[in-house]
């Protein structure tokens, strides 16, 4: 199920070798005598890492996508779910050019399961939506997809899963927006001194929208992508009217024992993003001068993956078969919806399409108090995944968490008086009634705070890429006031600090722009293609943590990255780090094993310095490099270690810093 406010989505993880290379022995190289073996150290470390990894996988779900014999991806089915619709990506062949030709791919599968199958439509991702005349679940659904894959005519097949909302509404009340101005809030007012969202469009992919005097002036024409006319309650399928008709349900419907009222979820989310501000009425929006394009994908019992995928592409300005082009393409997309499971090919293709068009995709981490890696779209690539905080500045009790989370924003706790997130709603219990306000809680409420902030950023610096928006959002956080031990990303979003990084009125930070600079928190804020990069022990320069690259005595490549943004208002910026090199190489003239220090910005990789086995040292030596050329830019700092086929060199890193003046 896809759910509003809480996106239960996991990304597809493909396990492949981290590096490859041929061994080319050099006769002039001989192992030194009487020296400790660097490679032995690495072998022991890797063995321990492998043992720990085995234990972890034994107790955790595996989200890799299974494949048939020729590499066709066959995505998992959810326990207890039944599917009539499936998404198939056909290979580009002459046989697949016609409906009858494509039908050959599922003919045998349909006969095996005793169902009739018809082709419904082509999705904007290129996939084809097919429908069986009877629902398939469990092993039957898996066998059906496996037989389609076995035809050799398709690249992938997956269920057209359903997404739903996951929020906890409370009785309407009018209170202060602690999430904007409170001690443990997002510090939004200071950001308004820099930008208010003028010129930016935010697509809210949700339940649609209802009329509201505190919102209408900022709403632009949207679209209804709900293809199920019965669930849509508007008497037809897709149309140009994004009006929320209500997602109420009776007892026994939508898998619920008791009846539920309409949530007006999309209206609440839109209000957090861009409620009209300064009108002496109601509430304020994070980006009060931004415009909202409502995109309806969720109705009674949620919404389908196929509808959501098309909506993502349309929102960013992409083409969807049979749908008029979006006259107001969004540069920010908010999705406060989701479901459990792997990200899947269809979801990822849609997100990739939007990001390629310059749209930042902000999603909710989910409300299951579980690791967000098991929920989509929070575990998809190229999204900004947002967890929820409470008025105490700690992770909300319902929020998902973990390494998939990018940052945290106020999501509320309605168990505390005044602790929910107040925003615009409709007061109707089923069909639309009058405009009103209510306090909700959920990661659905946290995500639009960040989407609104992204709109402020794009209003200030329209050329920011989605990658730059994400890295600046992460850099613009502060430590969780109430602490977080389960994984809250880089911390609590701070709007004033974030806008300061773009040259706002607030002075840029004078401290270290790098997070976890001494590796005392292991891999936190860093990414590496090798788990054993992050080590502890006496080899640390200070504390107990350090990073160790290479040292195997065979062909290896290690990459260690962290993204940050250099404020445009600084005079200088510099990188410093401590490096120790231990090598088994005996040459005094040849750089067989190298460590390159690189800056990646706007798709360009620049090598700032190169060190090698020739720089062997008994202890750590400080290195300093100039980064002033990157003022006003988002940068990925990269340490790239490359080792040849024999004799090892081990590069130790510790106490890194990027400082400005």
């Amino acid at each position: 199920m896809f759910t509003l406010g809480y996106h239960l989505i996991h990304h597809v993880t493909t396990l492949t070798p981290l590096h490859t290379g041929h061994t080319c022995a050099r006769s002039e190289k001989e192992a030194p005598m009487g020296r400790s073996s660097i490679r032995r150290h690495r072998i022991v470390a890797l063995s321990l890492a492998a043992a720990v990894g085995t234990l972890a996988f034994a107790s955790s779900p595996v989200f890799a996508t299974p494949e048939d014999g020729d590499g066709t991806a066959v995505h998992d089915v959810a326990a207890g779910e039944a599917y009539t619709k499936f998404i198939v990506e056909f290979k580009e062949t002459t046989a697949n050019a016609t409906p009858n030709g494509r039908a050959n791919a599922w003919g045998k599968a349909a006969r095996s399961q005793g169902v009739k199958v018809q082709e419904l439509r082509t999705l904007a991702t290129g996939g084809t939506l097919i429908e069986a005349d009877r629902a398939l679940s469990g092993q039957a659904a898996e066998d059906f997809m496996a037989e389609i894959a076995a035809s050799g005519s398709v690249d992938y097949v997956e269920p057209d899963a359903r997404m739903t909302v996951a929020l906890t509404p409370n009785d309407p009340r009018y209170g202060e927006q602690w999430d904007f101005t409170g001690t443990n809030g997002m510090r939004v007012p200071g950001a308004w001194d820099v930008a208010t969202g003028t010129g930016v469009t935010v697509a809210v992919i949700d339940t649609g929208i209802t009329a509201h005097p505190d919102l209408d002036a900022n709403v632009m024409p949207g679209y209804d992508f709900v293809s199920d006319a019965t669930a849509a309650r508007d008497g037809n399928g897709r149309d140009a009217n994004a009006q929320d008709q209500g997602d109420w349900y009776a007892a026994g419907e939508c898998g619920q024992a008791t009846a539920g009222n309409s949530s007006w979820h999309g209206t609440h989310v839109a209000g957090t993003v861009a409620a009209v501000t300064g009108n002496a009425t109601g509430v304020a929006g994070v980006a009060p001068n931004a415009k909202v394009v409502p995109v309806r994908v969720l109705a009674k019992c949620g919404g389908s993956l196929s509808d959501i995928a098309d909506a993502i592409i349309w929102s960013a300005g992409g083409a969807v078969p049979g749908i008029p082009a979006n006259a107001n393409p969004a540069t920010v997309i908010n999705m406060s919806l989701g479901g459990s499971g792997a990200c899947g090919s269809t979801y990822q293709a849609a997100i990739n399409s939007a990001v390629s068009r310059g749209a930042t995709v902000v999603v909710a981490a989910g409300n299951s108090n579980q690791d967000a890696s098991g929920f989509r779209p929070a575990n998809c690539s190229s999204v900004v995944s947002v967890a929820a905080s409470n008025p105490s500045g700690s992770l909300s009790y319902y929020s998902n968490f973990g390494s998939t989370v990018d940052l945290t924003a106020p999501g509320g706790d309605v168990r505390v008086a005044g602790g929910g997130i107040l925003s615009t709603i409709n007061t109707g219990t089923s069909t639309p009634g009058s405009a009103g306000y209510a306090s909700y809680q959920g990661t659905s409420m946290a995500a639009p705070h960040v989407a609104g902030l992204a709109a402020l950023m794009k209003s200030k610096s329209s050329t920011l890429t989605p990658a730059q928006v994400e890295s600046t959002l992460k850099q613009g956080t502060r430590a969780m006031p109430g602490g977080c031990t389960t994984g809250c990303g880089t911390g609590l979003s701070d709007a004033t600090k974030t806008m300061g990084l773009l040259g706002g009125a607030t002075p840029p930070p004078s401290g270290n722009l790098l997070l976890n600079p001494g590796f005392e928190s292991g891999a936190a804020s860093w990414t590496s293609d090798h788990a054993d990069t992050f080590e502890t022990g006496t080899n640390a320069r200070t504390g107990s943590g350090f990073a160790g690259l290479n040292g195997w005595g065979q062909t290896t490549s290690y990459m260690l990255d962290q993204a940050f943004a250099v404020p445009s208002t600084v005079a200088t910026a510099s990188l410093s780090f401590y490096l120790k090199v231990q090598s088994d190489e005996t040459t005094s003239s040849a750089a067989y094993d190298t460590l390159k220090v690189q800056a990646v910005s706007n798709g360009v990789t620049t090598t700032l310095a190169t060190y090698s086995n020739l720089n062997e040292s008994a202890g750590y030596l400080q290195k300093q490099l100039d980064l002033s050329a990157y003022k006003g830019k988002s940068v990925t700092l990269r340490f790239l270690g490359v080792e040849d086929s024999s004799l090892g060199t081990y590069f130790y890193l510790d106490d890194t810093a990027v400082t400005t003046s």
Side-chain angles (χ1 to χ4, degrees), residues 282-625:
V283 296
V286 175
N289 287 338
K291 300 299 182 183
V292 168
V293 171
V295 186
R296 190 181 185 215
V297 298
L298 300 166
K300 178 183 177 182
C301 302
S304 68
L305 172 60
S306 54
D307 287 344
I308 294 169
D310 279 352
I312 293 170
I313 292 175
W314 182 86
S315 295
V320 178
I323 305 297
N326 181 6
N328 303 289
T331 53
V332 180
I333 294 174
N334 186 90
M335 293 201 298
S336 290
L337 54 84
S340 61
C343 178
S345 303
T346 301
Y347 233 144
Q348 193 61 65
I351 290 167
N352 290 348
S353 174
V355 172
S356 72
R357 290 177 169 81
T360 294
V361 181
V362 181
V363 304
N367 299 345
S368 294
N369 186 27
Q370 296 181 36
D371 195 304
S373 63
F375 299 87
R376 54 179 167 175
N379 56 13
C380 291
S381 300
S382 302
V383 300
V384 180
S385 177
V386 186
S389 66
N390 58 31
S392 298
S394 56
L395 188 70
S396 293
Y397 70 93
Y398 52 79
S399 179
N400 283 354
F401 48 79
S403 60
T404 302
V405 171
D406 291 306
L407 72 166
T408 302
D413 184 347
V414 297
R415 302 175 306 175
V416 178
I421 303 300
L422 184 67
S423 188
T424 49
I425 61 151
N426 192 277
T427 61
T429 57
S430 55
T431 58
S434 59
Y437 299 86
S439 290
Y440 285 178
Q441 68 178 26
T443 55
S444 277
M445 286 58 259
H449 283 81
V450 174
L453 177 53
L456 298 182
M457 296 167 64
K458 291 290 288 186
S459 180
K460 169 63 178 177
S461 302
S462 61
T463 59
L464 287 172
T465 66
Q468 290 172 327
V469 171
E470 179 177 352
S471 65
T472 307
L473 283 168
K474 291 179 180 179
Q475 192 61 42
T477 58
R478 66 185 190 272
M480 294 289 290
C484 179
T485 59
T486 55
C488 294
T490 56
L492 183 62
S493 182
D494 187 320
T496 298
K497 179 179 178 181
T498 301
M499 297 306 291
L501 293 173
L502 299 179
T506 300
S510 58
N512 192 351
L513 297 184
L514 293 179
L515 302 171
N516 188 24
F519 308 99
E520 297 304 310
S521 299
S525 303
W526 296 89
T527 58
S528 176
D529 53 6
H530 285 59
D532 65 343
T533 297
F534 307 100
E535 302 193 41
T536 58
T538 57
N539 280 312
R541 175 181 175 269
T542 60
S544 60
F546 66 98
L549 283 66
N550 308 97
W552 286 93
Q554 62 187 33
T555 304
T556 62
S557 176
Y558 275 62
M559 185 181 295
L560 175 64
D561 290 359
Q562 183 173 154
F564 60 93
V566 180
S568 60
T569 55
V570 301
T572 63
S574 62
L575 164 68
S576 69
F577 60 94
Y578 285 83
L579 173 66
K580 180 172 70 172
V581 180
Q582 181 183 351
S583 182
D584 279 341
E585 301 283 4
T586 58
T587 178
S588 60
S589 59
Y592 291 132
D593 310 318
T594 61
L595 176 71
K596 292 183 178 180
V597 184
Q598 300 176 324
V600 183
S601 183
N602 291 327
V604 177
T605 301
T606 302
T607 298
L608 305 175
T610 301
Y611 307 94
S612 71
N613 49 279
L614 300 179
N615 299 106
E616 185 172 14
S617 57
Y620 281 95
L621 299 176
Q622 187 178 30
K623 309 295 182 181
Q624 291 186 306
L625 302 171

Side-chain angles (χ1 to χ4, degrees), residues 99-120:
N100 286 339
R102 292 190 292 272
N104 290 329
W106 66 70
K108 182 180 178 181
R111 289 191 297 272
S112 297
Q113 297 302 324
V115 296
K116 295 180 180 179
V117 176
Q118 62 174 329
E119 182 175 310
L120 297 181

Side-chain angles (χ1 to χ4, degrees), residues 110-146:
R111 289 191 297 272
S112 297
Q113 297 302 324
V115 296
K116 295 180 180 179
V117 176
Q118 62 174 329
E119 182 175 310
L120 297 181
R121 67 174 185 273
T122 300
L123 306 187
T125 62
T128 298
L129 186 65
I130 65 174
E131 182 178 32
D133 63 352
R134 176 172 55 82
L136 300 175
S137 61
Q139 192 62 50
E142 292 181 0
D143 291 345
F144 178 70
M145 292 191 293

